Amino acid sequence: IGIGEPPEEIYGKTMSIPDGLIVKYFTLATDVEPSEIRKLEEGMASGGLNPRDAKARLAREIVALYHGAAAAKVAEEHFEKIFRQKEVPDEVEEFFVTDGNNWICAVIKDAGLTKSNGEARRLIEQGGVKLGGEKVANVDLKLNGRDHEGVILQVGKRNFRCLRFHAMYD
């Protein structure tokens, strides 16, 4: 977790740490009092505190430390919307598909969502790519402005792009 990363990234990465590291993270990465950390640890050990709730507090604490309380609240809302409610974020980066480069795997790579066409292909085959909320099943899919203008491309759980086309209507 990089302290210079955007609040939403810090929050999301914190929520994905193993439960066994929650107390260590509280101790090493926050200003929470040791007595409060012991209470959290006891609550999780007794089953009275869900580790997910402890992680959410940890994520808020870490984001607030580096980006402020308001950013922590926004990051938490963003996380809830995407991961719990499975919705698309309010703000999605646009990606302009260029003429002649409309193969789904190339678009995913060129949009910065994977490092290679092969990685994009594997993600599609594993069901990790959605177009307009529907899983992409065809690795040979060609995108076009008529059918895909303004459609949201999702790769994995957190990576989104809104597809835009110049004058590519075939």
Side-chain angles (χ1 to χ4, degrees):
I1 302 170
I3 61 173
E5 292 181 319
E8 293 80 10
E9 283 293 314
I10 293 174
Y11 194 97
K13 287 181 177 181
T14 303
M15 290 301 290
S16 68
I17 67 167
D19 292 352
L21 294 178
I22 295 171
V23 173
K24 278 188 179 183
Y25 270 73
F26 264 107
T27 303
L28 299 172
T30 72
D31 292 335
V32 174
E33 293 292 323
S35 60
E36 181 67 18
I37 295 171
R38 278 192 295 283
K39 286 180 189 174
L40 290 167
E41 185 175 26
E42 291 167 2
M44 288 186 294
S46 71
L49 176 63
N50 186 322
R52 177 184 39 83
D53 296 333
K55 273 195 253 188
R57 176 167 178 203
L58 174 63
R60 284 191 309 271
E61 294 281 347
I62 293 172
V63 172
L65 189 61
Y66 297 103
H67 295 281
K73 183 176 179 0
V74 170
E76 183 170 36
E77 290 168 355
H78 177 82
F79 183 87
E80 293 288 324
K81 186 173 193 174
I82 293 174
F83 293 99
R84 296 239 174 92
Q85 300 166 12
K86 306 226 187 279
E87 293 180 20
V88 174
D90 292 331
E91 293 183 29
V92 175
E93 183 179 330
E94 290 184 332
F95 176 74
F96 286 88
V97 178
T98 58
D99 289 332
N101 196 18
N102 59 345
W103 175 43
I104 184 75
C105 294
V107 170
I108 291 169
K109 180 183 78 69
D110 293 346
L113 300 171
T114 62
K115 291 183 169 120
S116 69
N117 292 340
E119 183 182 354
R121 177 185 290 274
R122 283 188 296 282
L123 283 169
I124 291 169
E125 290 169 346
Q126 295 167 358
V129 176
K130 292 182 180 178
L131 192 59
E134 301 292 323
K135 282 188 182 178
V136 175
N138 180 4
V139 296
D140 296 318
L141 178 66
K142 299 287 187 193
L143 303 176
N144 65 71
R146 183 177 40 254
D147 298 328
H148 301 108
E149 175 66 29
V151 173
I152 302 296
L153 172 65
Q154 180 181 354
V155 177
K157 292 183 180 181
R158 324 181 207 185
N159 299 303
F160 299 87
R161 295 293 185 276
C162 180
L163 298 179
R164 296 290 179 207
F165 294 77
H166 290 288
M168 198 171 102
Y169 295 94
D170 34 28

